[in-house]
């Protein structure tokens, strides 16, 4: 039995050629040539003015909060179910994390729960395009702008997704992306911050280079900053991947269509949603199992791993994690965020790597169907 990976990239000769060129030629006066090409192409892809390449999405969120002036005493709202990287930078800047509930259909931030979580201290919201799905960013943006709350759109998992014809990452004051090796478009490790706001772009460029303005040749730092840069080899890899992004997204959608073919009619199994007006790039095919089946994510994962099928738990509510055990906001979230606590225990991410074959997906879905059928007979 071969091992089936949960995620992984699609690398071709183009990527190898670009990285080889970068390591050979991107030095001296050409040191930034791949950053410039990657950033310009990325901004064009999103139809935005600015893109800044960074070492990770985590650093992009950190810089976005800093550039927006978020700090101690401020509150920032995140959906309860997301990777902790969406929220950890709120703690880096000394602000308070507030956990809002998710929507039962999209599994993304609920606009009602977001609205209810706003207080006079709320400075920003970080909606997350979970597993490639899109939250109702039209509503979230309208609520945020009426309340003077900045929007940082965490598009780490959603390159190529769309809402109302506008691409994921282009909905906020700032958008952030991850190019971690598990993501649809990868640079190994890496990230991007995008924005239309020149003030935020300038502040980000300054803060990410130890408090120096771009072009400063006197090394006279005017503030303590951070060092958050991508290497030219990574930028070259990213550029090659971006030039193939339609192919990458088409493959993700194809993988999802295989699962939908095999599991779409299975009673008690719900896969990722693609509501009207949205396009889902399906970073991770995800199955939510009906609680009546009694198949918790722990049981399903252990059985899949036993069959050499790699899979992951749907994100645990952040408010349930030991990392937030001492947070009063997490305690409030545990009592309030019903949908997060209803869905998360019963959901798993299924293998979604870009190199998956139809046969491998058959193996996963056959196995899963057997368990679901026998659980239904015994329930
Ligand atoms: C992967 C991911 C991140 C973090 O990306 P890094 O590049 O690893 O810092 C942030 N948010 C979400 C939703 C992610 O999935």
């Amino acid at each position: 039995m071969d091992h089936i990976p949960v995620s992984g990239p699609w690398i071709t000769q183009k990527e190898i050629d670009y990285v080889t060129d970068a390591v050979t030629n991107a030095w001296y006066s050409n040191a930034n040539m791949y950053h410039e090409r990657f950033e310009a192409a990325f901004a064009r892809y999103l139809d935005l003015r600015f893109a800044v390449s960074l070492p990770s999405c985590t650093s992009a969120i950190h810089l976005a909060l800093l550039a927006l002036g978020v700090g101690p005493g401020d509150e920032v709202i995140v959906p309860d179910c997301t990777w902790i990287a969406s929220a950890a930078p709120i703690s880096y800047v000394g602000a308070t994390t507030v956990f809002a509930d998710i929507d039962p259909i999209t599994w993304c931030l609920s606009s009602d729960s977001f609205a209810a979580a706003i207080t006079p201290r709320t400075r920003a919201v970080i909606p997350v395009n979970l597993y490639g799905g899109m939250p109702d960013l039209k509503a979230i943006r309208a609520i945020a702008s009426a309340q003077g709350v900045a929007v940082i759109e965490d598009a780490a998992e959603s390159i190529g997704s769309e809402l109302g014809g506008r691409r994921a990452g282009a909905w906020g004051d700032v958008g952030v992306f991850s190019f971690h090796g598990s993501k649809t478009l990868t640079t190994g490790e890496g990230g991007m911050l995008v924005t239309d706001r020149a003030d935020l772009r300038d502040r980000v460029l300054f803060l990410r280079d130890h408090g120096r303005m771009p072009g400063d040749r006197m090394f006279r730092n005017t503030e303590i900053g951070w060092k958050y840069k991508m290497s030219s080899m990574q930028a070259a890899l990213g550029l090659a991947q971006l030039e193939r992004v339609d192919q990458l997204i088409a493959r993700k959608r194809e993988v999802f269509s295989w699962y939908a073919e095999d599991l779409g009619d299975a009673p008690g199994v719900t896969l990722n949603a693609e509501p009207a007006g949205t396009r889902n790039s399906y970073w991770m095919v995800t199955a939510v199992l009906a609680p009546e089946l009694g198949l918790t994510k722990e049981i399903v994962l252990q059985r899949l791993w036993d069959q050499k099928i790699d899979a992951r738990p749907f994100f645990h509510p952040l408010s349930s994690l030991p990392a937030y055990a001492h947070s009063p906001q997490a305690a409030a979230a545990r009592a309030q965020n019903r949908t997060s606590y209803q869905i998360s225990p019963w959901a798993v991410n299924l293998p979604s790597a870009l190199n998956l074959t139809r046969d491998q997906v058959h193996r996963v879905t056959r196995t899963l169907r057997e368990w679901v059928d026998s659980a239904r007979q015994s329930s």
Side-chain angles (χ1 to χ4, degrees):
M1 243 181 351
D2 62 332
H3 171 261
I4 302 181
V6 69
S7 71
W10 183 6
I11 301 297
T12 65
Q13 191 61 40
K14 183 188 193 80
E15 282 81 351
I16 296 167
D17 289 346
Y18 279 32
V19 175
T20 304
D21 185 54
V23 74
T24 312
N25 296 312
W27 308 105
Y28 300 104
S29 59
N30 289 328
N32 287 317
M33 67 178 177
Y34 276 105
H35 299 91
E36 285 164 12
R37 288 175 65 191
F38 185 33
E39 291 171 353
F42 205 90
R44 223 170 21 248
Y45 181 69
L46 292 181
D47 200 17
L48 293 176
R49 290 168 70 202
F50 308 113
V52 181
S53 55
L54 295 167
S56 65
C57 181
T58 305
S59 58
I61 298 171
H62 187 192
L63 288 171
L65 291 167
L66 291 167
L68 288 163
V70 177
D74 296 332
E75 292 175 0
V76 179
I77 297 171
V78 288
D80 211 342
C81 291
T82 180
W83 177 229
I84 196 168
S86 305
I90 301 166
S91 300
Y92 302 170
V93 302
T96 300
T97 309
V98 175
F99 310 90
D101 206 358
I102 59 171
D103 174 87
I105 306 293
T106 65
W107 311 329
C108 299
L109 178 65
S110 145
S111 54
D112 290 340
S113 182
F114 161 51
I118 294 174
T119 76
R121 290 171 177 269
T122 307
R123 289 289 309 281
V125 59
I126 308 180
V128 179
N129 308 336
L130 203 74
Y131 306 136
M134 296 296 283
D136 185 353
L137 284 164
K138 288 179 195 169
I140 290 167
R141 211 159 75 147
I143 295 161
S145 94
Q147 304 281 334
V149 171
V151 177
I152 300 169
E153 183 188 357
D154 184 345
E157 304 179 354
S158 63
I159 190 153
S161 295
E162 291 177 11
L163 171 64
R166 186 198 290 253
R167 287 212 159 109
W171 281 87
D173 296 272
V174 177
V176 293
F177 288 86
S178 171
F179 310 130
H180 177 259
S182 67
K183 299 289 162 48
T184 301
L185 187 162
T186 190
T187 61
E189 293 281 359
M192 192 76 85
L193 182 151
V194 297
T195 183
D196 255 345
R197 282 179 53 181
D199 62 323
L200 293 179
R201 194 273 312 251
D202 289 348
R203 187 74 186 145
V204 163
L205 290 178
F206 173 79
L207 289 171
R208 68 89 168 255
D209 191 20
H210 283 307
R212 286 173 68 198
M213 286 312 276
D216 159 49
R217 297 170 72 182
M218 291 307 287
F219 297 88
R220 212 181 281 288
N221 311 73
T222 53
E223 281 178 47
I224 304 293
W226 283 261
K227 177 62 194 298
Y228 283 155
K229 285 189 172 181
M230 177 182 269
S231 77
S232 60
M233 283 79 83
Q234 291 168 300
L237 179 49
L239 178 64
Q241 289 259 288
L242 185 60
E243 290 178 357
R244 295 181 50 240
V245 68
D246 291 342
Q247 229 181 353
L248 301 176
I249 294 156
R251 174 62 61 83
K252 284 287 193 185
R253 290 182 59 84
E254 185 178 30
V255 167
F256 179 82
S257 77
W258 295 338
Y259 280 100
E261 226 174 277
D262 295 355
L263 295 175
D265 63 343
V269 181
T270 305
L271 302 178
N272 314 53
E274 190 178 51
T278 67
R279 179 177 188 247
N280 193 326
S281 59
Y282 299 117
W283 173 55
M284 281 276 182
V285 178
T286 299
V288 182
L289 304 180
E292 309 81 271
L293 298 173
L295 294 167
T296 64
K297 63 184 171 187
E298 286 79 7
I299 294 174
V300 173
L301 288 175
Q302 192 55 59
R303 289 192 189 170
L304 288 169
W305 295 337
D306 289 345
Q307 311 245 354
K308 292 207 194 170
I309 297 169
D310 201 7
R312 290 185 183 176
F314 190 98
F315 292 120
H316 311 292
L318 294 174
S319 60
S320 73
L321 296 177
Y324 291 104
H326 304 294
S327 152
Q329 288 72 26
R334 286 194 289 277
Q336 282 165 13
N337 291 344
R338 291 234 187 86
T339 308
S340 299
Y341 282 83
Q342 270 163 7
I343 291 178
S344 172
W346 309 101
V348 292
N349 306 131
L350 298 171
S352 307
L354 285 154
N355 69 353
L356 274 192
T357 64
R358 185 67 180 101
D359 280 349
Q360 288 177 316
V361 172
H362 271 313
R363 209 176 103 205
V364 176
T365 56
R366 240 190 341 261
T367 313
L368 205 61
R369 264 200 105 112
E370 275 168 27
W371 298 336
V372 167
D373 286 345
S374 75
R376 216 177 30 252
Q377 274 150 25
S378 59
S379 74

